Every structure is written in C-alpha cells, then in structure tokens.
Amino acid sequence: MSSKADIETDSFAPHKIAVLADVHGNYTALRAVVADAKRHKATDFWFLGDVLLPGPGSTDILALLADLGITTWPRGNWEDLLVNGHAKNLDVTDPQRLYFTRHAMYQDQFLDATTYQRLADMPLTVTHHIGGLTFRLSHNLPDKNYGQELIPTEQQANFDRLLTSEIDVALYGHTHRQLMRYGSDGQLIVNPGTVGMAFTNPGKVQHDLRAMYALITVAGSRVTNVDLRKVEYDKDAELERARVRKLPYFDLYSDQILAGVGYTHNRPVLAAYAGAHGYVAEVARYVEQ
Ligand SMILES: [Mn+2]
C-alpha cells in the first residue's frame, strides 16, 4: 500500500472546497450535502474516508464521489474493516467483527475485486496544494486511522501530531464531530463532521443529526472562510432504501439514523441481533467458502 498521494491544483483560480467525511453508506445524506455544496458554488470536493457501511449505499456512493472528482482519499478504519471482512481476516467470534464481516458479505453483491483492491490501496494521507497553501488530509492521525486521540476535548499535543512545518491546513474526520482550531504554530485544523452517521453527542449543544460537511474558501493564498455546515436530509427515504435493499442489522441502522444511537461498540446488542437474525450461521458459511 502506498502511504501518500500528492495532488497539484491550479494556484490562481479561487477555490471553494467542500470537505466531506464519514459517509458510512448513507447515499441520501451524501446527495443532500452535494446539492448544498453545489448551491454554494463549491469548486472542489475532497473526502476524508469511511465511505461504506453500515448503510445500504455502495457503488452508487463510489460513482457519485467519482463524479465529483474524488477517486483517492485517506483510507478510513472502516475501509480496513470492510476489506478485511471481505478477505475473511476478522475473528468472527467477536460480535463486532461478525458485524463487519456480515456487512462485507452484503457488499459482495455490489463490489467487484477491483473495487476492494482500490479501497485496500488507498493512502493514509492525501496532500493538496492550492494558492501556495498546503492541505494535508487524513482520516484520523496521519499514521493511524483509528483511535480516540482527536476527539474535540483532547489535548493540544494530540492535534499537533496532524501538523509539520510544511502543512498550512490539516483536515481530518473520524470523530464525526465538527471542529475548527489551531496548531501550536498557528496552522489551521478543520474537521467537517460526518455526512452520514451523526451520533447523539454528549452535551445538549452538540445534539444534531443532520448531515455535516465543511466549505472552505481559499482566495489567493489565504483561507478566507471556514463554514461548518449542517444539512437536513430525508431520513425516511434513506431507511426505505435500506429496507428495499435488505440491509443487515436494519433496526440498528434505523436507530442510528433516527435517534443517533451508535451500536458499533455495543457487543451485547450486536451479539443478540446476530443471534436473532441467523447471521452467525450465515457468516460461518461465508468464512468457510
Ligand atoms: Mn467514521
């Protein structure tokens, strides 16, 4: 796997960059965000990883991202879980690993070998140069796409790990929380929040289940605006897609979308759901193939 991608963009044109992260299989939310960004005349679209799962979206999401010019992005931890679930590399005695493997099994009806390989080969960081500014994109830390180091209440030293002297703006996702702050040397750090998998956040001021993204304006060699946006989308339509497409763990997805309840780390609930829906036997047969 390569670890870096470098993308050069015309320095002289003004840019309005829509930064998207953590779509998590929610095509309906992604479409709402893209429509909002186009209304606001976005010129560039970037993505920060965690593209599929646990929602029903699949090649439709990958095609929409490709239409926006997004073919490379920093690999999210859910890309790793999907790829490893498909490769049958996860320990399915763990209800959480069973959950990812059952979802990979579901995605197998849509994704071909080339697509799995493309996801496996995504770099950990992507660098963009615009107007003399260097932007570095990572899913979480530049060398670690999982973990809790960058939740908004963490210490400054953790955020400085996003930066080097060459970087002007660090963009990361993963926490599903919108954030704008600075590095110790004054560099800008932005997290656009999550497009498709909003959680009920701690604290009443953070409670919001809309689709999130960031719109960053660059004029000349300056960042002139950072707009942390939230967009309403049709949650019932998304759940209807999930129902029609026979999404596994449907009720948990429904709870996620309508109430912001996350089950990814709730092993007792995942185990009970898998047991009640026959997933344990299905995954055992899949892994043996
Ligand atoms: Mn995520």
Side-chain angles (χ1 to χ4, degrees), residues 88 92 101 280-289:
K88 300 160 186 179
V92 296
T101 305
V280 179
E282 284 175 16
V283 167
R285 281 197 297 278
Y286 176 68
V287 170
E288 278 164 21
Q289 275 169 25

Side-chain angles (χ1 to χ4, degrees), residues 7-174:
I7 298 166
E8 199 67 55
T9 309
D10 171 23
S11 306
F12 300 99
H15 289 270
K16 213 162 180 183
I17 306 152
V19 184
L20 321 179
D22 295 275
V23 172
H24 284 287
N26 189 337
Y27 179 68
T28 312
L30 177 61
R31 286 212 335 194
V33 157
V34 169
D36 186 79
K38 287 186 171 173
R39 268 198 302 280
H40 287 84
K41 313 239 182 296
T43 55
D44 303 71
F45 287 84
W46 297 348
F47 178 56
L48 306 178
D50 277 9
V51 65
L52 305 179
L53 276 51
S58 189
T59 50
D60 41 10
I61 289 176
L62 299 175
L64 177 49
L65 292 179
D67 280 350
L68 300 168
I70 301 169
T71 52
T72 301
W73 59 81
R75 200 173 73 247
N77 53 321
W78 287 58
E79 271 79 279
D80 286 339
L81 288 159
L82 170 58
V83 165
N84 282 308
H86 170 71
K88 300 160 186 179
N89 285 338
L90 301 179
D91 172 11
V92 296
T93 61
D94 175 350
Q96 188 200 51
R97 303 292 141 155
L98 183 99
Y99 172 79
F100 285 108
T101 305
R102 184 64 187 80
H103 271 295
M105 211 179 133
Y106 173 77
Q107 289 291 336
D108 279 0
Q109 66 189 304
F110 306 116
L111 304 181
D112 59 17
T114 309
T115 305
Y116 276 114
Q117 193 59 50
R118 205 162 68 77
L119 293 174
D121 288 343
M122 290 291 176
L124 279 176
T125 65
V126 172
T127 304
H128 287 276
H129 304 284
I130 288 186
L133 294 173
T134 298
F135 294 75
R136 188 168 68 183
L137 288 56
S138 53
H139 182 64
N140 185 51
L141 290 165
D143 58 351
K144 182 171 178 274
N145 66 3
Y146 59 95
Q148 299 294 309
E149 293 89 345
L150 299 178
I151 61 171
T153 47
E154 272 297 340
Q155 54 184 325
Q156 181 68 31
N158 292 7
F159 291 91
D160 286 338
R161 290 171 65 184
L162 287 166
L163 299 158
T164 68
S165 56
E166 288 86 45
I167 295 166
D168 301 298
V169 183
L171 304 173
Y172 78 100
H174 182 62

Side-chain angles (χ1 to χ4, degrees), residues 22-26 29 53-56 78 99 103 175-177 194-201 207-212 233 235 238-239 242 247-266 269-270 273:
D22 295 275
V23 172
H24 284 287
N26 189 337
L53 276 51
W78 287 58
Y99 172 79
H103 271 295
T175 65
H176 297 200
R177 277 125 171 98
T194 174
V195 170
M197 197 180 181
F199 297 125
T200 303
N201 289 323
H207 181 87
D208 202 313
L209 298 176
R210 286 177 291 175
M212 304 167 225
Y233 71 97
K235 297 184 175 72
E238 173 60 14
L239 292 176
L247 180 71
Y249 299 90
F250 172 85
D251 303 287
L252 305 189
Y253 188 61
S254 175
D255 238 22
Q256 164 73 65
I257 294 300
L258 297 178
V261 182
Y263 288 102
T264 315
H265 302 285
N266 191 335
V269 168
L270 293 179
Y273 201 96

